[in-house]
Amino acid sequence: DAHSRVMQKDGQGIKAEIDKQRYKEPYDVKKFYKEEGRCQAIARASWFENLTFAVITFNALWLSVDADLNNAETLVDAHPVFIVAENLFCIFFCFELAMRF
């Protein structure tokens, strides 16, 4: 009957969509990098990826230290250790953005 043919066709379409999603190429931001140059070479390097993960981890830990020990309302009123740390993180993350994009 017509109803079972429609259901079978829809079932085949759903199966095809599931298969397409299952075998989809994984997302990799490196596909969007340029092919030549120093910045893309740094951005593709495994040491840079590991360094970035390490800095992100340290930054997360530093946020807990900052939250517990820094009582200043603004960064300019904070102890110099907090000012230097915040600026170093900012410099690194700006460098990372410059290398990747």
Side-chain angles (χ1 to χ4, degrees):
D1 75 336
H3 180 67
S4 63
R5 281 183 288 175
V6 169
M7 293 300 290
Q8 185 177 12
K9 184 178 178 184
D10 287 346
Q12 293 296 330
I14 292 170
K15 183 179 182 307
E17 184 63 31
I18 290 171
D19 287 343
K20 188 170 110 177
Q21 291 294 323
R22 184 184 303 159
Y23 300 112
K24 193 165 114 176
E25 187 176 332
Y27 178 79
D28 185 10
V29 73
K30 294 176 186 174
K31 292 189 316 186
F32 299 104
Y33 295 163
K34 294 182 179 180
E35 296 297 322
E36 49 189 54
R38 289 184 186 174
C39 290
Q40 66 84 29
I42 291 172
R44 291 177 192 272
S46 62
W47 64 264
F48 183 70
E49 188 173 330
N50 292 333
L51 175 64
T52 301
F53 285 139
V55 171
I56 290 169
T57 301
F58 184 65
N59 184 245
L61 294 171
W62 180 256
L63 286 172
S64 67
V65 170
D66 191 336
D68 287 344
L69 301 179
N70 185 4
N71 296 321
E73 291 290 323
T74 62
L75 187 59
V76 295
D77 296 331
H79 188 276
V81 169
F82 297 106
I83 297 171
V84 169
E86 291 300 323
N87 282 291
L88 288 175
F89 286 123
C90 184
I91 289 168
F92 179 80
F93 291 130
C94 287
F95 173 74
E96 178 197 8
L97 280 173
M99 293 301 104
R100 293 187 188 277
F101 303 106

